[in-house]
Amino acid sequence: MKKFASIWLLAVFTWVLVSCSTQEQQILDLSKAVILVTPQIASPMQETVSTILVEEIENRSGIRLELGSDWESDTQIALALSSDESLYGKTVPSRKGFDAPEQEKEGYRIFQESSEAGNTLWVIGADTRGILYGIGKLLRTAYLSEGKVALSRDIDFSESPQYALRGHQFGYRNTANSWDAWTVAQFDQHFREQVLFGANAFENIPFQQMGSSPHFKVDPQQMEVELSRICEKYDADYWVWTPAPRDLSVPGALQEGLEKQEDFYARVPRLNAVFVPGGDPGDNHPSELIPYLEELSELLQQYHPDAGIWVSLQGFNEEKVRYFFDYLQTNNPDWLAGVVNGPSSPPIALERELLPEKYLHRFYPDITHTVRCHYPAENWDQAYALTLGREPCNPQPRMYTRLFNRDSPHTDGFITYSDGTHDDVNKAVWSQLGWDPGKDPETIVREYTRFFFGAELAEEAAQGIFALEDNWDGPILENPAIEETLAWWKRLEAENPDLAGNWRWQQLLMRAHYDGYIKKRLAFEKRLEAEAYAILAKADSIGADQAMEQALQQLQKAETEPVSQDLKEKVIAYGEMLFQSVGAQTSVEKYGASGAERGAILDFIDYPLKNRWWLEDEFEKVRSLGSEAEKLARLDFIRTYEYPGEGSFYDNISSADAKHVTSKTDDAIDFLWENNGINRKRLSTQLFQFTPTLSYDELDPNSDYLIRVSGYGEALLRANGQRLTPTKYEKGYEEFKEFPLPRDLISDGELEIRFDKPDEAHLNWRQQSRVTDVWLIRQ
């Protein structure tokens, strides 16, 4: 952050050196501009485009621009269609050829034109959506502050989107961690903001009941209609996610499902697409699902003739996938619009390859979760996974830019999966990459912070967002950026009290304080555990029971003498602010979150970050042993669990600080979740991989080694390619398998350990074998 601060100060210094007159020549003052809107735009978009421009400028500057119908003003903002020959008697600028972005669907051009009569800022769209997106670019790049509306005179920017579909899911339901508390006006404003960042579609999850969320302010069946109207207002596509009945083989299930859908179709004014997930939920075979979809399409056409049916193959096994694509090849149905690729779908490239060209392919990426999900946070410390959990504020612009460009090229566009406001930065990143996958995330995030926090703060707030992403990279205690990030955001907080009510600002500040608190706690609890182990080392002289009692007293200082309570209090205060401002439910008990995994980060803020709970339980077991010798032996094992001695090595599989693990999990479930997150297992037991790889290059070829493995189920271990035979083979958690390592396999001092995957396709992943800990013990 010091580097960022230096860059910022240098920029400010350079700016001061530039003369005021030079700046005035480069800046177009729009504070007295009159807005001209082409009459060729039909209602309601005629009113929408001017309302957005007037209101958003006024909200940021206090200046309310007027609408006009002539060119008498010295400065105009002209909103025109590329098909317009003239606007109120003045020729609309047109570039020759048909490859200009403003000639392509949803494209626009924004540029300044000067003449003796005055200045005109043109926003020319290929269609009404294009004008909206041009307004978005204007608002994201203009200098807007109290009493000021300005833009660079040399602006001449044009673009059209590379992806036709760019949207986000906003399911008005209890499992959402915030917007089930929203009003219609809040949804209207939020959809507007998403459109201004380039989105053109929103997906709801209908058929919710009024009593299903304690936060509903509007009957969900009424909100279904209101969201449709908002989409119509902003000319955005309205999608719905509507699972089929879970078991279509049950008599009457198909007809019941159709009747439910028809009632919805009849009530909503706009509906563009119906997405039926093949699984998650549901377990219907495509032989039963396809007839249902065909009848659903006929029903949909009666009420919304231009709407299409979409389906995903989520949870389909190989036979189901083959059946579905054989059906498409053989029957070539016109009722199907396209296929959606979501979590547990076939590999995205393969699915696109198998899908006939006449059908569109939509991506359904999960940008809202951090663990046990589609795109887990990479190289994440376990302490964050235990506390921040699955739905914290998670701006990850660099990671998502990379993933977007890896996966999206196989598709025609996306509607992301989201369950709250916490992923707001990620939505902006995906929307903008849908326009241009080559956009760098720095530019996108700067426009985000400029639009929501103001031009003066744009650069510093953007750097703060990237710093939050850096906080999550690797072992917490080895990451000095966490303190720097906290100091950065504390300064921004102190210098910008006017942003205190801004929910986006609130959640970023909350994250900075939360991260800082977790690092302080982790360092403290690690020290307490080390001190407890030092006490256990004296057990043979002070006695096992006394050693355990003293060790527990040391460990319990995490509760009796907690650290950094000022940071914790700030986090709690921001939790209250976010509940009031945007309905964020950061606690199950206090704010009514629908579940512990649904953004309830306050409920886990003091979750043990070391093995205090496990040690408490182990000590109870030790006390029940029959002899002092047994107690001392067990305490010595507990104390040395992770410390196998000089020349030996230990790795906690999937831990961010594992030294020898070279594999990365790709299944997103390596952080175990049990008992609603209140898991008293040893922390290493809560991390796993199914088939990890470990590498060593510092072994003594003249020494004997024993490989010890803990986990669950089978462990088909290979050392430098050779399958080893175990001398001990226990299959339960915190039990052990032991494999003597032949010397001839490590003659060069190097070793690679791999695990073959057992044949367990018939088992749910929760019952499948996994590895949690690996020791390489010098004999």
Side-chain angles (χ1 to χ4, degrees):
M1 298 301 295
K2 291 177 181 177
K3 174 184 175 184
F4 299 146
S6 298
I7 293 172
W8 177 73
L9 289 172
L10 177 61
V12 172
F13 180 70
T14 304
W15 178 82
V16 170
L17 295 179
V18 179
S19 70
C20 291
S21 60
T22 302
Q23 289 183 50
E24 289 174 359
Q25 292 172 4
Q26 295 173 340
I27 298 299
L28 176 63
D29 181 5
L30 297 170
S31 60
K32 297 181 181 179
V34 171
I35 299 172
L36 307 178
V37 182
T38 172
Q40 302 307 314
I41 301 176
S43 292
M45 285 290 284
Q46 173 68 222
E47 294 77 23
T48 296
V49 295
S50 57
T51 299
I52 289 178
L53 194 52
V54 170
E55 290 183 350
E56 296 301 323
I57 287 176
E58 184 178 20
N59 289 342
R60 290 161 176 77
S61 67
I63 297 173
R64 185 172 184 85
L65 300 184
E66 299 295 329
L67 301 179
S69 57
D70 57 50
W71 295 88
E72 295 182 1
S73 173
D74 291 336
T75 307
Q76 297 87 18
I77 300 175
L79 310 180
L81 295 168
S82 59
S83 57
D84 290 336
E85 293 185 1
S86 64
L87 177 62
Y88 296 118
K90 185 174 183 176
T91 300
V92 175
S94 177
R95 295 191 285 190
K96 294 181 179 180
F98 295 96
D99 57 351
E102 67 269 25
Q103 303 285 348
E104 299 176 6
K105 187 177 181 180
E106 298 188 339
Y108 67 88
R109 181 188 180 196
I110 176 173
F111 68 102
Q112 188 261 344
E113 183 181 58
S114 297
S115 67
E116 293 182 1
N119 296 293
T120 302
L121 181 68
W122 288 96
V123 179
I124 300 176
D127 44 37
T128 53
R129 283 185 177 179
I131 291 179
L132 263 185
Y133 298 131
I135 290 172
K137 183 66 174 179
L138 166 59
L139 292 170
R140 299 195 313 267
T141 53
Y143 185 94
L144 297 168
S145 64
E146 189 63 33
K148 294 182 180 179
V149 183
L151 192 70
S152 173
R153 283 181 178 272
D154 61 3
I155 187 171
D156 191 347
F157 184 87
S158 60
E159 64 176 345
S160 58
Q162 180 161 328
Y163 289 89
L165 178 63
R166 308 170 307 280
H168 308 287
Q169 188 181 82
F170 290 86
Y172 188 65
R173 58 177 181 163
N174 188 37
T175 51
N177 62 37
S178 48
W179 49 60
D180 55 336
W182 282 13
T183 63
V184 174
Q186 283 176 294
F187 270 112
D188 186 297
Q189 179 63 29
H190 199 66
F191 279 21
R192 172 191 293 190
E193 291 162 351
Q194 297 299 323
V195 167
L196 294 176
F197 273 84
N200 67 359
F202 302 103
E203 184 169 72
N204 184 29
I205 299 177
F207 311 133
Q208 309 300 313
Q209 298 303 312
M210 183 62 190
S212 62
S213 169
H215 305 289
F216 282 153
K217 294 182 176 64
V218 179
D219 188 308
Q221 295 192 22
Q222 179 59 34
M223 186 63 87
E224 295 167 1
V225 177
E226 297 296 340
L227 294 180
S228 174
R229 289 173 179 158
I230 294 170
C231 287
E232 192 167 48
K233 176 179 177 180
Y234 295 112
D235 194 22
D237 289 352
Y238 186 44
W239 285 60
V240 288
W241 181 91
T242 60
R246 286 181 179 269
D247 189 352
L248 285 166
S249 65
V250 174
L254 184 147
Q255 190 58 38
E256 183 179 342
L258 293 176
E259 290 173 359
K260 187 177 181 180
Q261 296 267 349
E262 182 174 15
D263 174 69
F264 170 72
Y265 298 162
R267 288 187 292 111
V268 293
R270 168 175 286 212
L271 184 60
N272 301 90
V274 174
F275 165 31
V276 179
D280 191 22
D283 192 29
N284 291 299
H285 192 276
S287 61
E288 295 173 330
L289 181 62
I290 287 171
Y292 170 77
L293 295 176
E294 187 170 7
E295 289 198 46
L296 199 64
S297 175
E298 293 176 4
L299 196 63
L300 179 63
Q301 296 300 307
Q302 295 177 27
Y303 296 92
H304 302 278
D306 297 326
I309 294 289
W310 295 68
V311 66
S312 70
L313 313 187
Q314 290 170 264
F316 277 25
N317 59 24
E318 185 176 343
E319 185 274 329
K320 289 182 179 179
V321 171
R322 189 183 310 113
Y323 183 101
F324 178 81
F325 284 113
D326 285 348
Y327 170 83
L328 293 190
Q329 292 288 351
T330 302
N331 295 279
N332 195 33
D334 291 329
W335 55 261
L336 182 67
V339 169
V340 178
N341 185 278
S344 76
S345 284
I348 192 166
L350 174 63
E351 189 172 78
R352 173 71 269 184
E353 181 182 342
L354 294 173
L355 187 64
E357 288 188 9
K358 72 175 285 185
Y359 302 109
L360 296 172
H361 195 216
R362 170 198 148 183
F363 197 17
Y364 185 35
D366 177 357
I367 66 169
T368 204
H369 292 131
T370 50
V371 69
R372 296 178 291 277
C373 61
H374 183 196
Y375 288 141
E378 299 171 347
N379 205 25
W380 217 29
D381 194 292
Q382 186 181 20
Y384 283 144
L386 293 169
T387 54
L388 283 168
R390 201 165 180 245
E391 292 180 5
C393 173
N394 66 331
Q396 296 164 282
R398 292 192 180 101
M399 184 186 89
Y400 282 116
T401 296
R402 183 173 70 257
L403 294 171
F404 181 99
N405 285 300
R406 185 191 74 183
D407 294 339
S408 292
H410 302 290
T411 73
D412 297 296
F414 57 86
I415 295 179
T416 70
Y417 170 55
S418 175
D419 253 328
T421 54
H422 61 283
D423 59 11
D424 195 65
V425 171
N426 302 335
K427 291 188 182 83
V429 169
W430 275 76
S431 291
Q432 281 292 286
L433 292 174
W435 279 77
D436 179 5
K439 282 186 179 177
D440 66 271
E442 286 79 8
T443 298
I444 298 171
V445 174
R446 276 197 301 271
E447 290 190 2
Y448 178 92
T449 53
R450 188 183 188 93
F451 183 78
F452 290 115
F453 306 142
E456 297 94 337
L457 197 54
E459 182 61 34
E460 288 190 285
Q463 297 296 353
I465 287 173
F466 285 107
L468 288 174
E469 183 173 20
D470 291 341
N471 277 8
W472 285 2
D473 186 14
I476 289 174
L477 297 181
E478 299 174 17
N479 188 346
I482 295 172
E483 290 90 349
E484 296 173 6
T485 302
L486 177 57
W488 187 269
W489 279 103
K490 277 185 171 182
R491 179 179 61 81
L492 294 182
E493 177 186 33
E495 294 174 354
N496 298 277
D498 54 313
L499 288 172
N502 184 313
W503 65 264
R504 292 178 169 91
W505 187 251
Q506 291 167 355
Q507 66 180 14
L508 294 169
L509 280 164
M510 186 183 196
R511 248 293 307 283
H513 284 82
Y514 201 110
D515 290 359
Y517 179 60
I518 294 305
K519 181 170 185 179
K520 292 286 188 182
R521 265 212 318 122
L522 179 59
F524 181 52
E525 293 186 26
K526 182 178 182 180
R527 177 171 65 81
L528 293 179
E529 187 166 300
E531 291 168 351
Y533 287 152
I535 293 170
L536 294 182
K538 303 174 185 178
D540 57 350
S541 60
I542 66 175
D545 289 344
Q546 183 65 20
M548 288 188 287
E549 184 63 29
Q550 291 183 18
L552 274 178
Q553 289 176 6
Q554 199 66 19
L555 292 168
Q556 287 167 356
K557 288 180 180 179
E559 292 184 342
T560 60
E561 302 175 16
V563 296
S564 302
Q565 294 302 285
D566 58 326
L567 294 179
K568 178 182 175 180
E569 289 169 5
K570 288 285 289 188
V571 172
I572 293 172
Y574 275 113
E576 177 65 25
M577 292 182 196
L578 282 163
F579 182 69
Q580 297 300 330
S581 63
V582 76
Q585 299 138 37
T586 52
S587 168
V588 174
E589 182 177 354
K590 189 173 183 179
Y591 296 121
S594 63
E597 283 194 290
R598 296 293 182 175
I601 63 173
L602 294 185
D603 294 348
F604 295 90
I605 193 169
D606 284 326
Y607 190 101
L609 302 179
K610 295 300 289 181
N611 289 299
R612 172 162 53 91
W613 283 355
W614 179 77
L615 287 168
E616 290 173 355
D617 295 344
E618 287 298 307
F619 288 168
E620 284 296 316
K621 296 175 187 175
V622 171
R623 289 190 183 96
S624 68
L625 295 176
S627 69
E628 181 72 4
E630 288 178 292
K631 291 180 179 181
L632 292 174
R634 182 61 184 175
L635 290 180
D636 189 62
F637 172 80
I638 290 170
R639 179 180 64 85
T640 60
Y641 194 95
E642 297 182 12
Y643 309 100
E646 188 69 27
S648 300
F649 310 96
Y650 165 80
D651 284 278
N652 175 358
I653 298 299
S654 254
S655 175
D657 60 0
K659 303 301 182 186
H660 301 94
V661 180
T662 58
S663 54
K664 297 285 187 182
T665 182
D666 59 0
D667 46 51
I669 53 175
D670 54 321
F671 292 94
L672 192 63
W673 177 262
E674 292 182 336
N675 193 31
N676 283 327
I678 308 303
N679 191 340
R680 296 182 69 91
K681 283 187 172 71
R682 182 178 176 82
L683 294 189
S684 65
T685 306
Q686 299 181 44
L687 289 177
F688 64 90
Q689 290 185 31
F690 292 116
T691 56
T693 303
L694 299 93
S695 180
Y696 308 81
D697 59 7
E698 64 266 60
L699 305 189
D700 179 358
N702 299 312
S703 294
D704 292 319
Y705 289 89
L706 179 74
I707 303 172
R708 178 185 292 160
V709 176
S710 185
Y712 176 83
E714 308 293 339
L716 309 180
L717 185 149
R718 290 185 183 273
N720 285 340
Q722 179 175 317
R723 176 78 71 83
L724 298 189
T725 301
T727 55
K728 184 176 184 178
Y729 204 76
E730 300 171 335
K731 296 186 179 182
Y733 280 120
E734 294 174 30
E735 295 182 338
F736 305 101
K737 303 170 182 70
E738 294 183 346
F739 303 82
L741 178 64
R743 282 192 187 183
D744 61 349
L745 290 181
I746 57 168
S747 59
D748 58 358
E750 297 182 357
L751 172 66
E752 181 183 70
I753 295 175
R754 289 182 175 272
F755 292 83
D756 294 341
K757 190 170 181 63
D759 182 10
E760 298 177 329
H762 59 289
L763 297 177
N764 180 279
W765 69 266
R766 293 172 180 83
Q767 283 78 50
Q768 291 178 356
S769 299
R770 72 278 311 273
V771 178
T772 63
D773 310 77
V774 173
W775 295 257
L776 185 60
I777 303 173
R778 188 176 183 177
Q779 302 294 288

